[in-house]
Amino acid sequence: GQSLEQPSEVTAVEGAIVQINCTYQTSGFYGLSWYQQHDGGAPTFLSYNALDGLEETGRFSSFLSRSDSYGYLLLQELQMKDSASYFCAVRSLSGNTGKLIFGQGTTLQVKP
Amino acid sequence: GAVVSQHPSRVICKSGTSVKIECRSLDFQATTMFWYRQFPKQSLMLMATSNEGSKATYEQGVEKDKFLINHASLTLSTLTVTSAHPEDSSFYICSARLGPTDTQYFGPGTRLTVL
């Protein structure tokens, strides 16, 4: 089967660093994406890793290890507005069109 | 990033009626669009994959006669919830992408409430 695992909840304080892990088991893996979703809103794209290593975009970084089927999202200098749900998603090329397979999401609560 | 719009953003309807939701890619041509539904505090569940000019591919357990999908152009896909029931109340989100290896961009979602 295909599955992704990530922690359900994470709590941290403003200014801190938090890491959200994601392990996956899928077929036709093409890359790992991360999305942020605030309550009542739509998912917004944060980052994408197709190759092993670290990708940095401002305060957010994402890492992938394909041999370990593992990735993480690193959020630095946390701000209150970072409180949201974060989803890892595998790009799968199984089938003719490919699709995203989402994890269950991690709710991040940033406290003052 | 690319912009995807959805209309309406919120709809309330009576049980037994049909509701149409539109998804548009505003600044790129989307060969593929996806429809998801999301219940509170849960993840996104893929309902179907929509390719322009061809029939949609539905995920297992999704009734294609109840959730009608039309992808008439490279910038528009529609989802029609037919004979809606209260259990169809959910957050419906579409996404669009250019090619199979490209990033999916999501619309703002449609909150459907069936009374």
Side-chain angles (χ1 to χ4, degrees):
Chain A
Q2 304 191 80
S3 66
L4 290 87
E5 289 192 16
Q6 50 181 130
S8 58
E9 290 182 0
V10 173
T11 302
V13 296
E14 268 188 302
I17 299 172
V18 72
Q19 178 174 313
I20 300 174
N21 298 320
C22 174
T23 57
Y24 59 87
Q25 182 177 6
T26 61
S27 59
F29 177 85
Y30 193 80
L32 186 70
S33 299
W34 288 91
Y35 287 84
Q36 178 193 60
Q37 185 180 31
H38 286 97
D39 264 353
T44 55
F45 173 75
L46 290 178
S47 68
Y48 169 64
N49 295 69
L51 302 175
D52 291 351
L54 191 68
E55 294 282 341
E56 297 180 68
T57 309
R59 294 187 297 116
F60 295 178
S61 304
S62 59
F63 172 83
L64 175 64
S65 169
R66 288 173 297 171
S67 60
D68 295 324
S69 297
Y70 162 77
Y72 66 73
L73 178 70
L74 189 73
L75 298 87
Q76 303 182 74
E77 299 174 21
L78 282 175
Q79 302 175 9
M80 296 297 290
K81 67 178 181 180
D82 297 330
S83 293
S85 292
Y86 293 83
F87 295 90
C88 59
V90 165
R91 289 193 194 181
S92 170
L93 283 185
S94 63
N96 292 328
T97 58
K99 55 190 177 184
L100 280 177
I101 301 166
F102 281 85
Q104 288 302 304
T106 299
T107 300
L108 170 64
Q109 186 177 14
V110 180
K111 294 186 173 181
Chain B
V3 179
V4 177
S5 71
Q6 261 182 262
H7 179 79
S9 58
R10 199 178 283 270
V11 58
I12 301 172
C13 69
K14 292 182 179 180
S15 187
T17 61
S18 294
V19 174
K20 180 185 282 189
I21 303 170
E22 292 186 349
C23 177
R24 293 181 186 273
S25 56
L26 299 184
D27 53 359
F28 69 103
Q29 292 185 325
T31 55
T32 306
M33 290 183 173
F34 300 86
W35 287 96
Y36 298 81
R37 66 188 298 183
Q38 185 179 33
F39 292 106
K41 306 296 183 186
Q42 294 189 23
S43 187
L44 288 84
M45 186 196 83
L46 179 64
M47 299 174 67
T49 302
S50 168
N51 287 296
E52 186 265 339
S54 62
K55 288 184 179 180
T57 303
Y58 289 82
E59 294 297 303
Q60 193 172 8
V62 178
E63 299 175 59
K64 59 182 179 182
D65 293 330
K66 179 168 183 63
F67 298 100
L68 301 178
I69 292 172
N70 183 275
H71 194 156
S73 76
L74 285 172
T75 59
L76 173 65
S77 176
T78 60
L79 167 69
T80 301
V81 183
T82 62
S83 187
H85 288 102
E87 56 265 32
D88 298 324
S89 298
S90 187
F91 192 47
Y92 291 86
I93 313 172
C94 73
S95 70
R97 68 166 190 218
L98 180 57
T101 61
D102 293 306
T103 297
Q104 280 189 35
Y105 293 96
F106 286 82
T110 297
R111 177 80 54 195
L112 170 64
T113 303
V114 185
L115 302 176

